[in-house]
Amino acid sequence: MADSFMAQWVYTDTVKDHFINPRNLWKEGEDFKADGIGEVGSLACGDQMRVGIKVKDGKIEDLRWLTYGCASAIASTSMMSEMAKGMTLEDAYHLTPAMITDKLGGLPEHKFHCSVLGDKALRAAIDDYLEKNGMENPYKGSTAKIICECKGVTDHMIEELVKNDKVRNFDELQKETGCCTACGKCKMKIMEELNECLHIYGK
C-alpha cells in the first residue's frame, strides 16, 4: 500500500531536470518583445501562466514563459517551450497536454492538470498574435472537442464561459448551453471539464 502511494508521487528524471533547470524562462528585466501574449490560470487556485511568443514566417521563432505554478507546471511548461520553438503556428496550436507529458516521461496522475496550463497559454498567445495582426484564426475550432453531442457543447465553449465569468456552476452552464438536457449521458464528462476550468481560472 505504501509503495503504491509513493509511486503516485514519483517524478521522472526529465521532470526533475526541467523543474531545476527550466528552459526559456521570462526573466525579470529581459528585453523580450513578444508578438503575442497569452495568460491562463489564477493565483486563487495556485497556478497562473503567461506565455509570450515571437513569430517569423508563420513559425514560433522564440518563446518565453512565467508561472506561479508547482513543480509539475514548471516542468511541463519548460518542456512545452522547447517543443513549440520552430513549430508552425498550426502545429503549436495543436500541442496537447498528453504530448507534453509523454515527452516528460509521465507525470503523477493527480498532477496531470498542471500540464494543461502551458498549452492553453500557448494557444492564447497565438490567438493574441493573430488578433493583433488582423489575421483570421483557422485553428480555434479545430482543437475543440465536443462533450455534449446532443447540444454541440465543446470544451472550448465551457472554458470561455468560465473564463469570462458567465458560468460558475453546473446549473448556470446548463442554462447557458442546454447541456445534459437531452440524453444526459455526458453529465460526468461535462462536470469534469467544468470543474477543471473552475480550478484553472480560480472561480
Side-chain angles (χ1 to χ4, degrees):
M1 185 72 149
D3 289 342
S4 176
F5 177 77
M6 290 302 294
Q8 296 175 22
W9 289 88
V10 172
Y11 290 100
T12 67
D13 289 340
T14 306
V15 171
K16 292 174 186 174
D17 180 36
H18 277 269
F19 170 58
I20 296 169
N21 306 295
R23 284 66 152 172
N24 306 304
L25 263 179
W26 203 333
K27 296 175 182 175
E28 188 176 350
E30 181 180 10
D31 186 26
F32 183 80
K33 293 181 173 63
D35 297 322
I37 295 175
E39 291 186 352
V40 297
S42 164
L43 288 178
C45 76
D47 293 312
Q48 190 174 41
M49 185 79 61
R50 170 183 284 188
V51 169
I53 58 172
K54 285 186 178 180
V55 180
K56 185 176 181 181
D57 299 327
K59 294 183 178 181
I60 295 181
E61 182 183 38
D62 206 357
L63 182 154
R64 293 289 185 276
W65 60 274
L66 192 63
T67 185
Y68 294 100
C70 65
S72 296
I74 291 168
S76 59
T77 311
S78 174
M79 177 59 80
M80 178 278 293
S81 72
E82 285 204 319
M83 295 170 71
K85 284 173 70 171
M87 278 187 169
T88 63
L89 293 180
E90 181 176 7
D91 286 343
Y93 208 90
H94 288 84
L95 268 178
T96 67
M99 292 176 187
I100 297 165
T101 303
D102 185 57
K103 282 282 189 180
L104 288 169
L107 282 173
E109 189 173 337
H110 63 286
K111 285 293 184 180
F112 184 80
H113 74 274
C114 299
S115 66
V116 307
L117 291 172
D119 74 294
K120 285 181 182 293
L122 176 61
R123 283 200 298 272
I126 295 172
D127 290 340
D128 184 52
Y129 165 75
L130 294 172
E131 186 177 338
K132 282 178 178 175
N133 288 276
M135 300 165 68
E136 288 186 16
N137 189 335
Y139 319 124
K140 218 165 192 178
S142 64
T143 60
K145 289 182 286 188
I146 295 177
I147 301 179
C148 176
E149 294 186 5
C150 299
K151 298 296 180 179
V153 179
T154 69
D155 56 343
H156 284 197
M157 289 170 63
I158 297 172
E159 182 182 355
E160 287 298 314
L161 288 168
V162 171
K163 185 166 67 175
N164 295 317
D165 211 26
K166 293 183 177 179
V167 161
R168 288 159 295 182
N169 55 54
F170 176 76
D171 290 340
E172 290 179 356
L173 179 63
Q174 192 172 55
K175 185 177 180 180
E176 191 76 29
T177 65
C179 66
C180 305
T181 55
C183 73
K185 292 179 181 178
C186 61
K187 186 171 183 179
M188 186 174 291
K189 289 184 178 179
I190 288 285
M191 288 297 296
E192 287 176 359
E193 185 66 32
L194 175 61
N195 288 333
E196 184 70 36
C197 290
L198 290 171
H199 173 77
I200 290 172
Y201 294 101
K203 304 296 185 181

